[in-house]
Amino acid sequence: IHVRGLTTMKRMLAMSALVLVGLALASSSDAGGKKKKGNKTPELPPPASDIPKYMKMLNGSNSESRALAIHKIGLRGLVNANDVLDAVDPIRTALEKDRNANVRKEAALALGNIQPDPKDTVPLLTKTVKQDKVMDVRLAATVALGQYAAEAKSALPTLREFSGEFKDKKKSQQAQTVMAAIRSISGKKK
């Protein structure tokens, strides 16, 4: 698996993307996730030594545990993608096949953070935007595509089609998330 090194700009983009997805998902309840009240401290990535524990959780029967494991692996991948290379294929599988929407959402976000080879990952994320029935999952895949920036140009037609699903593009947080990804990929400023 080819993994690119993250520059400061890419880290800033990734963190911005996480904020955007948080805003977009705040009003949506398709995934049934619970919101934490009063927690304004940013979550820190786990140490590399915890990754084997999360790898074991990926195969568990509890969807909450799988989602948590993928989330933590994704956070670690944001810091050092090499620490989580063994998790990329199981996370791709989770995005494609897991029945739980929250697991799929976390898988999309994790792939955006880790940024494995775009040749394999961008088509999967694009397919998710097109075909997943849950808005939170589609938005998470959109954010992940935005993190790939110019390497996700092949996703632009799908993202433009997706943006057409929102009536009020200026007021809809979800539409703003899609438009931010499009700008990131196309290199255009607001």
Side-chain angles (χ1 to χ4, degrees), residues 99-119:
R99 298 177 109 184
N100 184 278
N102 197 40
V103 171
R104 295 192 313 275
K105 177 187 83 171
E106 291 297 339
L109 294 172
L111 290 171
N113 288 345
I114 299 165
Q115 295 186 6
D117 189 358
K119 176 182 58 142

Side-chain angles (χ1 to χ4, degrees), residues 43-65:
E43 185 176 3
L44 297 175
S49 60
D50 285 356
I51 297 305
K53 169 179 77 171
Y54 294 121
M55 289 293 295
K56 286 180 186 174
M57 291 169 63
L58 284 176
N59 297 318
S61 60
N62 182 319
S63 62
E64 285 183 33
S65 294

Side-chain angles (χ1 to χ4, degrees), residues 61-122:
S61 60
N62 182 319
S63 62
E64 285 183 33
S65 294
R66 289 192 314 274
L68 174 66
I70 292 170
H71 176 76
K72 295 292 188 176
I73 290 167
L75 286 176
R76 184 68 206 168
L78 188 59
V79 173
N80 187 349
N82 291 324
D83 290 344
V84 296
L85 289 178
D86 291 342
V88 170
D89 285 337
I91 291 173
R92 282 187 186 129
T93 300
L95 177 59
E96 226 173 351
K97 298 181 179 178
D98 203 284
R99 298 177 109 184
N100 184 278
N102 197 40
V103 171
R104 295 192 313 275
K105 177 187 83 171
E106 291 297 339
L109 294 172
L111 290 171
N113 288 345
I114 299 165
Q115 295 186 6
D117 189 358
K119 176 182 58 142
D120 298 324
T121 308
V122 167

Side-chain angles (χ1 to χ4, degrees), residues 168-187:
D168 190 350
K169 290 179 181 36
K170 290 185 179 180
K171 291 184 181 179
S172 167
Q173 291 175 340
Q174 296 163 332
Q176 290 298 311
T177 298
V178 178
M179 296 310 295
I182 290 170
R183 283 191 301 273
S184 172
I185 294 166
S186 65

